[in-house]
Amino acid sequence: KPIVIDGHGATITGCDPLRFDGWIEAGSPGLYKSTNFISELEEFTDDAKLMRVFFRINGVIQYMGRTSKGLKPRFRAPSSLQPGEWTYVEKEKAFYLKVAGKLADAKVEAPYRRNGVTIRASKVALSHVVIRNMIVSRVLNDGYSVHGTTSDLLFQNIAAYECGDDGISPHETCEIAIDGLWSVGNSTGMGNANLSITKASNVWLEGNRAYQLMTAHAPLTELRNSVIIASAGSQPVFLSNSQGARLIMDNVQISSPTGQKMVVVSNAAVECSRLTVVGPDWDIAGKVRVTRSALGGGKVACSEGG
């Protein structure tokens, strides 16, 4: 008799209209400055916030080319901003935002909330829970953030889009099952870490800005009956900082522009069957076994130990 949390298709958003308190005009038309904004965001440290922060201006999300697990170009000078852009000045601890006209008239939103769904079972394990039929969008960190120890935790028919970090991310010794996930436009579509165990099927990862599927440390990930579509500038699959990570894929379609990579680092193992891959190269320093599959459009290269 699991506890069932049913969203009935509802959308949880991490964004609210910009709070104008603390924003002041900064010397040129449409340029505004705030030293309070970063303290209003829910995260552990200012550095974590800066990795993830974005604004939604007139319905368009503006990342300024930055993403938490990918590219982080230098913040630009405030004087170079065009309407709809923003920056951060470290020595002032200040955000700058450029709009056309008055800030009060602009439609600006900011990700004041950290996660859409948070599970933190640090002292007592969480078990026998179903979370289903829920959409999470535009939070500062993860759409679904799972920490501590869990078992018999099922995510069913869920979605995450345009989140500052991962669409879904289990950590520590969490065991989760996923049946139906749509994760699009986040920094990473699925980010599995530590000693977590994830068994997922019917997953669609597309257009996430850094990685579609990423693992770190020693998780076990099983992905079945799923689709991974990487856009330019992102990697489809990345096994990072491995201490024994394992990835099993069965009946998965993976595509990307030429030149993107499937990266398997040392001390990681990947086992694939019924895999269809078009576009990316394979960069293998760990162990990979592929059977009954079709690989097209990319090179396969083993580095030392691969």
Side-chain angles (χ1 to χ4, degrees), residues 18-41:
L18 188 69
R19 302 168 190 169
F20 297 131
D21 294 348
W23 288 90
I24 59 174
E25 292 183 300
S28 63
L31 185 64
Y32 291 82
K33 168 185 175 180
S34 175
T35 55
N36 296 336
F37 175 71
I38 195 166
S39 65
E40 297 174 335
L41 303 179

Side-chain angles (χ1 to χ4, degrees), residues 10 12 25 66 76 109 142 164 166 181 185 218 233 259 282-283 304:
I12 297 172
E25 292 183 300
R66 298 171 59 85
R76 287 165 42 190
E109 298 175 76
D142 300 335
D166 305 332
L181 165 66
W282 291 70
D283 186 354
E304 182 178 353

Side-chain angles (χ1 to χ4, degrees), residues 18-19 21-23 33-55 66 75 86-96 110-114 140:
L18 188 69
R19 302 168 190 169
D21 294 348
W23 288 90
K33 168 185 175 180
S34 175
T35 55
N36 296 336
F37 175 71
I38 195 166
S39 65
E40 297 174 335
L41 303 179
E42 292 183 1
E43 253 298 350
F44 296 107
T45 67
D46 285 356
D47 287 343
K49 296 173 188 179
L50 286 174
M51 289 170 57
R52 295 163 169 80
V53 71
F54 58 87
F55 290 89
R66 298 171 59 85
F75 288 112
W86 60 272
T87 193
Y88 179 76
V89 177
E90 173 65 31
K91 66 180 180 181
E92 301 176 22
K93 303 293 182 183
F95 278 86
Y96 285 82
Y112 291 105
R113 284 176 288 283
R114 182 190 300 169
L140 182 66

Side-chain angles (χ1 to χ4, degrees), residues 10 96 98 107 112 299:
Y96 285 82
K98 184 71 178 266
K107 295 180 180 179
Y112 291 105
K299 301 175 182 178

Side-chain angles (χ1 to χ4, degrees), residues 99-160:
V99 297
K102 296 291 186 180
L103 183 59
D105 297 329
K107 295 180 180 179
V108 181
E109 298 175 76
Y112 291 105
R113 284 176 288 283
R114 182 190 300 169
N115 303 312
V117 173
T118 302
I119 293 173
R120 294 194 179 278
S122 56
K123 295 183 179 180
V124 178
L126 176 145
S127 60
H128 314 310
V129 173
V130 177
I131 297 173
R132 67 189 184 195
N133 303 327
M134 189 177 298
I135 302 166
V136 171
S137 69
R138 303 174 188 139
V139 294
L140 182 66
N141 186 41
D142 300 335
Y144 303 84
S145 184
V146 189
H147 283 267
T149 300
T150 68
S151 64
D152 191 22
L153 171 58
L154 171 63
F155 293 93
Q156 189 173 48
N157 190 30
I158 61 170

